[in-house]
Amino acid sequence: MRRLLVRLPNWLGDLLMARPFLHALRASCGDAELWAIGTPASRLLDREQLWHRWIGLDAAVSMRDAHSPFEGLPFDAGVALPPSFSSAWMLWRLGVARRIGFASDGRSWLLTHAVRRPARGERHLSEEYLSLGESLAIGRVELPLLLPGDEDRAQASARLRRLGIERAPLAVLGPGAAYGPAKRWPAERFAALGRRLIARGHRLLLAGAAEDRDAADAIATVIGEGAHTVAGETSLSEQLALCAAARLTITNDSGLAHLAAAAGAATVVIFGSTSSAWTSPLGPRARVVQRAPVCSPCFQRTCRIGYRCLEAVSIESVERACESAAA
Ligand code: SF4
């Protein structure tokens, strides 16, 4: 093969769960040129040199324009990691010869290799991604940590200095989850846990995306001195460095959980309506807390019966997981 194309997942968590596949593909592709199409967030993986050329999703979507980056370039094979119709359609439109992806969303006719998926949670998502590489005969490789660069570390250190907390043991709290409230542990428990951590000498960063800012601010206000909100202020690279510098990251099942785990940081992840068997973060020091009632996993964004899965997660069970992760 001379040229391969990978359509990367859009969600940060899915992207990081695709790393075993991407590393395996890179190790197996020999002299072939590897191209990737993804959202700007996927540039976080530039540091791993997993591809020769990266194209932004917006540019790829406008591929019929005169300035299409793909003009006249034949691809021998392409893998659509997202299960969406549009990602398979993109491979087809680009004239990719072997088009590989999950058999889903009524798109199998667009693919030359439509791979059937097991029921959600039967296999970890990273294993499902690896199964897409079987027809390309890719092997497996050991997954390296996703380490921050020097510049990212310097940026994180400067922020901690500005906040006056560069010497204290640091805990990152991630109370957000874009998916919906059925993934969010109650804010008052994050606040109570935060107060206990501060009593033990920690300083706290309330982290997340811009849309998590208000919730993070509210929790920081309840906790009081020693809690600082950085949600919406950091790039993914700086957030990676902050997690790597922290003693602990405690977060809902969100992109932040996958980021901290990938860095090899001590990470405690609280699961609600979704399946930890399917999408637990990959990392040697990641610990999951899930108390699944009979209705779990329902994969719903909101709950009509009182969020029992999240209510059942006690502060003490999260503290025990913290001890295990940080040991
Ligand atoms: S239905 Fe069950 S698993 Fe789903 S959010 Fe509600 S309590 Fe949690």
Side-chain angles (χ1 to χ4, degrees):
M1 292 210 199
R2 286 172 307 145
R3 192 169 288 119
L4 295 165
L5 177 66
V6 180
R7 167 68 167 86
L8 300 168
N10 295 346
W11 291 87
L12 176 61
D14 292 355
L15 176 75
L16 295 176
M17 284 185 280
R19 287 179 67 238
F21 166 81
L22 295 168
H23 277 275
L25 182 65
R26 183 72 183 89
S28 306
C29 74
D31 292 333
E33 195 176 275
L34 193 50
W35 289 46
I37 297 174
T39 62
S42 63
R43 304 220 70 168
L44 176 71
L45 302 189
D46 278 355
R47 72 197 67 215
E48 298 200 284
Q49 299 181 336
L50 293 169
W51 42 73
H52 300 98
R53 186 148 176 206
W54 178 91
I55 303 290
L57 185 56
D58 289 346
V61 167
S62 62
M63 58 198 165
R64 277 201 168 163
D65 294 354
H67 303 297
S68 163
F70 304 104
E71 202 73 47
L73 285 173
F75 290 98
D76 301 298
V79 183
L81 295 176
S84 61
F85 185 89
S86 61
S87 58
W89 175 248
M90 180 175 284
L91 298 190
W92 188 83
R93 283 274 301 276
L94 287 170
V96 177
R98 283 169 79 181
R99 301 178 298 279
I100 303 162
F102 295 125
S104 56
D105 206 14
R107 65 181 199 165
S108 294
W109 63 277
L110 292 166
L111 302 169
T112 58
H113 294 68
V115 178
R116 288 173 66 114
R117 304 182 88 172
R120 280 192 286 192
E122 214 168 276
R123 295 177 84 184
H124 194 271
L125 182 56
S126 61
E127 292 292 328
E128 290 190 49
Y129 286 141
L130 278 164
S131 73
L132 294 179
E134 283 168 11
S135 70
L136 296 171
I138 69 168
R140 287 170 181 252
V141 293
E142 197 173 330
L143 186 65
L145 297 180
L146 180 64
L147 297 175
D150 292 343
E151 214 173 290
D152 311 322
R153 288 183 200 275
Q155 222 178 350
S157 299
R159 182 180 294 277
L160 297 177
R161 265 197 309 281
R162 281 198 304 278
L163 294 171
I165 57 173
E166 72 273 30
R167 291 189 199 288
L170 189 67
V172 176
L173 301 187
Y179 188 78
K183 270 194 178 190
R184 293 186 204 130
W185 199 41
E188 56 276 14
R189 294 202 194 166
F190 266 110
L193 177 67
R195 280 198 296 265
R196 291 187 192 188
L197 288 166
I198 285 187
R200 291 185 209 124
H202 290 79
R203 291 296 172 264
L204 308 180
L205 293 181
L206 276 292
E211 55 268 27
D212 303 321
R213 177 89 196 181
D214 289 347
D217 269 341
I219 293 171
T221 302
V222 172
I223 295 172
E225 198 178 334
H228 306 270
T229 303
V230 296
E233 292 180 7
T234 60
S235 65
L236 287 178
S237 296
E238 187 191 344
Q239 187 57 63
L240 180 73
L242 287 168
C243 289
R247 185 177 280 185
L248 275 170
T249 295
I250 304 149
T251 171
N252 291 325
D253 170 29
S254 64
L256 179 65
H258 292 272
L259 194 67
T267 309
V268 173
V269 192
I270 300 161
F271 268 75
S273 69
T274 52
S275 163
S276 55
W278 192 38
T279 55
S280 58
L282 301 174
R285 299 169 76 205
R287 303 288 182 272
V288 166
V289 184
Q290 182 162 34
R291 300 284 176 266
V294 287
C295 46
S296 169
C298 69
F299 297 102
Q300 297 299 312
R301 293 171 188 268
T302 58
C303 180
R304 293 181 177 180
I305 59 170
Y307 300 97
R308 292 176 200 166
C309 52
L310 292 164
E311 292 292 333
V313 175
S314 66
I315 297 170
E316 290 72 25
S317 65
V318 174
E319 285 181 313
R320 282 194 295 277
C322 289
E323 281 166 27
S324 164

